[in-house]
Amino acid sequence: MSVLDAPAGTGPRPRATDRGTGLVPVFARLKLTLLRNGLRQSAGRRAAYIASVVGAVLIALGQVLGLVLLRGNAHASSVTVLLIAILALGWAVMPLFLGAGDETLDPTRLVMLPLRPRPLIVALLVSSLIGIGPLFTVCLAAGSVAAVAHGAGAVVFAVLATPLALLVCVALARCVTTANSRLLTSRKGRDLAVLSGLVIAVGIQVVNFGVQRLGRAGGLSSLDPTADVVRWLPPASAIGSVHSASQGAYGRAVVQLLLTVAALVLLLWLWQRTLTKLMTAPDGSTVAAADPERKKSGRGGEGLWALFPEGRTGTVMQRTLRYVARDPKTKAAWVTALAVGLIVPVLNAVQGTGSVYFACFCAGMLGIQMYNQFGQDTSAFWMVALTISSPRDAYLELRARALALLLITLPYTVLVSVVTSALLKDWVRLPGVMGLSLALLGAMLATGAVASVNYPYSVPQEGAFKNVAPGQAGLAWISILGGMVSAALLSAPVIALTIGLHVSGSEDLLWLVVPVGAVYGALIAWGGLRLAAPRMAERLPEILGAVSKG
């Protein structure tokens, strides 16, 4: 009997140990290779990544120092368990909406490979431990156990609790991401990403309420009732076990640690089940769905579109607004900005603890939409690039995109300012708020245009959870954060004018801030567009290459 006559499955099989451990170094090297190749593409990307690593490490070390200083405090246990619980929540939610573009964690890329779920999960879990996020989590978990560990028995539990907390966080993130991968393979499913704005808005408000509660009477003691419940929820229960061991309650400590172990096993089981289903069943991406709306695409100049100016300005404005209405990722970003920009000042006003100047937060959130203007174009940016032959063309392109954004941001900023003033019944400061918001909005448009030209990055299209291409996450964060700081500095003259009027007791002259802020914001925006246009005309190939990585 020849080899071809042999029944399937009778050939030599790899040993169990090879199946289980052989993938781990492969995926670890794959993760490092993808990271290294991403950093090789430009010096700016390397600088941004190094800066993000240094920043994350400094923040983590600062938190570790703070937790160590908390050692001995009667409420240290409450703070640490809540901190780990919030960290786990962040691991579960943030990868969905702010994906770092980890290609080794995309199961759809592994469908054609002969991989078994169990060793694949082990390899993916190990590769997930490589990065800034796990390093940050380890530092935070180590600081937490250091704050509550007292005695040799507690140290033993601390040694077990730290890696367990990390593994639960990573497994939770991978399980949630994999479970939602199928949902987002269809266009309707990708549109559900719009809910990310509401999730982030609610999350920010939860943190806001927590901080405000700490500032009230009672301080850290107000955390104790919530912490008494959270300390039994994994992975916070791992930190709770260290505290229980410090008190000599070893039985309770063992139960809390076993809860974390059970949660890890359950997450791995759910992850394996979801991964198997995802890699063996057809998804929406393989079904050619007829889209009747495509027949309507390309028709322009009807209805409200007819009100747009002729020429390049009107065309670019229509294209930008269509991205907002149709592209799931662009739509999600706008919903996030609109929801957070409204919820933060309004809810603070409802609580009676906020200031009417919180309304300026709305202008900042909406101004972020000007950043990475060309990322939404992806590789199709080549069509835009073909129409730009001079700095004048680039200026018209950028100006039209800014005008399209202003159609939404300007009335919405005014609306939020008025609503916040109405809730606080503080109409005296309304002109100051509106003037500051207009100046800040103009500054954000200016810095957004400059950042879009100098620091473009790609927005991957194949996965709705990935907003940044591999290796460009640090570049994106540096671009946005640097631009926001620059915008705040550019708005300093209007801020100084507003403060001066308040300090001098001339609040009746705050109405002057409105025209000053409007004119200053318009001049700053015009200057930023003028500054970015020549640079854009020179860097068209570089911009195209940067936004085509997805």
Side-chain angles (χ1 to χ4, degrees):
M1 183 175 64
S2 67
V3 174
L4 297 177
D5 297 329
T10 58
R13 295 178 179 273
R15 293 176 299 176
T17 53
D18 294 339
R19 294 198 305 266
T21 61
L23 288 179
V24 173
V26 173
F27 274 76
R29 287 197 301 271
L30 176 61
K31 180 72 174 286
L32 295 175
T33 301
L34 287 171
L35 179 62
R36 184 173 60 252
N37 291 341
L39 296 178
R40 282 177 176 175
Q41 296 184 9
S42 69
R45 185 175 300 181
R46 288 194 294 274
Y49 183 78
I50 293 173
S52 61
V53 170
V54 173
V57 170
L58 290 178
I59 294 174
L61 291 179
Q63 291 184 339
V64 170
L65 179 61
L67 289 169
V68 171
L69 293 177
L70 198 63
R71 182 180 175 83
N73 188 289
H75 307 289
S77 173
S78 299
V79 173
T80 52
V81 295
L82 291 177
L83 196 61
I84 296 300
I86 294 174
L87 183 67
L89 182 63
W91 270 96
V93 176
M94 296 308 290
L96 298 179
F97 310 129
L98 300 174
D102 188 345
E103 297 294 328
T104 64
L105 305 180
D106 186 355
T108 59
R109 293 178 175 272
L110 310 173
V111 172
M112 300 303 294
L113 300 177
L115 302 173
R116 294 182 180 277
R118 185 168 299 175
L120 177 60
I121 285 177
V122 174
L124 290 174
L125 186 63
V126 173
S127 67
S128 300
L129 299 177
I130 302 173
I132 301 175
L135 176 62
F136 184 85
T137 305
V138 166
C139 292
L140 210 57
S144 298
V145 299
V148 298
H150 300 279
V155 172
V156 174
F157 278 89
V159 171
L160 298 174
T162 302
L164 274 176
L166 172 64
L167 290 175
V168 169
C169 288
V170 175
L172 177 63
R174 295 306 109 204
C175 186
V176 172
T177 304
T178 304
N180 286 276
S181 293
R182 177 175 296 280
L183 175 65
L184 299 178
T185 54
S186 64
R187 178 172 178 173
K188 183 180 292 185
R190 290 195 298 270
D191 284 343
L192 293 179
V194 174
L195 295 176
S196 63
L198 300 178
V199 173
I200 293 176
V202 173
I204 289 177
Q205 277 309 304
V206 170
V207 175
N208 184 28
F209 292 152
V211 172
Q212 290 183 6
R213 188 172 182 180
L214 289 179
R216 296 172 184 170
L220 295 178
S221 61
S222 60
L223 298 176
D224 292 342
T226 306
D228 289 340
V229 177
V230 173
R231 71 178 70 254
W232 291 95
L233 302 177
S237 60
I239 308 301
S241 70
V242 180
H243 177 66
S244 298
S246 299
Q247 294 179 327
Y250 291 105
R252 189 175 65 194
V254 170
V255 172
Q256 289 174 316
L257 197 64
L258 289 178
L259 283 175
T260 306
V261 175
L264 177 61
V265 174
L266 177 62
L267 287 172
L268 292 177
W269 177 77
L270 290 174
W271 186 12
Q272 176 182 340
R273 183 178 178 183
T274 307
L275 190 64
T276 302
K277 185 177 180 181
L278 180 68
M279 299 182 69
T280 56
D283 57 24
S285 62
T286 60
V287 179
D291 187 359
E293 293 186 0
R294 292 183 177 179
K295 298 178 180 179
K296 301 178 181 178
S297 62
R299 293 194 303 176
E302 299 178 354
L304 294 177
W305 301 121
L307 301 177
F308 283 67
E310 297 289 340
R312 185 189 195 103
T313 300
T315 303
V316 175
M317 290 178 68
Q318 283 193 43
R319 186 184 64 211
T320 302
L321 294 176
R322 288 183 190 277
Y323 271 129
V324 175
R326 296 182 178 180
D327 182 65
K329 292 187 177 180
T330 306
K331 189 191 302 182
W334 273 98
V335 170
T336 301
L338 294 172
V340 176
L342 175 66
I343 288 175
V344 171
V346 168
L347 286 190
N348 277 282
V350 170
Q351 295 179 80
T353 57
S355 166
V356 68
Y357 285 100
F358 267 112
C360 296
F361 181 80
C362 177
M365 285 300 300
L366 296 180
I368 293 177
Q369 305 309 310
M370 187 64 190
Y371 289 77
N372 195 36
Q373 271 295 303
F374 312 120
Q376 63 185 5
D377 296 341
T378 63
S379 58
F381 179 75
W382 70 269
M383 290 187 287
V384 178
L386 287 178
T387 65
I388 297 175
S389 59
S390 66
R392 175 66 179 173
D393 294 335
Y395 170 73
L396 294 177
E397 175 75 21
L398 291 172
R399 188 189 64 177
R401 292 177 184 244
L403 289 175
L405 265 63
L406 282 176
L407 286 179
I408 302 174
T409 59
L410 196 57
Y412 196 78
T413 299
V414 174
L415 174 65
V416 172
S417 300
V418 173
V419 170
T420 306
S421 299
L423 291 173
L424 291 173
K425 298 180 181 178
D426 189 358
W427 298 104
V428 176
R429 294 183 173 85
L430 176 60
V433 174
M434 292 184 63
L436 277 178
S437 297
L438 295 176
L440 180 60
L441 192 56
M444 294 291 286
L445 293 179
T447 55
V450 174
S452 296
V453 172
N454 290 284
Y455 306 104
Y457 55 87
S458 180
V459 180
Q461 296 299 303
E462 77 277 10
F465 293 145
K466 299 176 181 177
N467 295 323
V468 183
Q472 292 183 319
L475 185 65
W477 282 109
I478 292 297
S479 172
I480 294 176
L481 292 179
M484 293 179 67
V485 173
S486 301
L489 294 176
L490 288 173
S491 305
V494 181
I495 296 175
L497 172 62
T498 307
I499 294 175
L501 292 175
H502 279 287
V503 172
S504 63
S506 305
E507 294 187 349
D508 56 331
L509 298 179
L510 279 174
W511 63 270
L512 289 173
V513 183
V514 177
V516 170
V519 173
Y520 185 79
L523 289 176
I524 288 294
W526 175 80
L529 296 177
R530 283 289 185 185
L531 181 65
R535 184 69 171 159
M536 178 183 174
E538 295 173 356
R539 301 191 73 246
L540 289 174
E542 289 80 2
I543 295 173
L544 177 60
V547 301
S548 302
K549 301 299 182 185

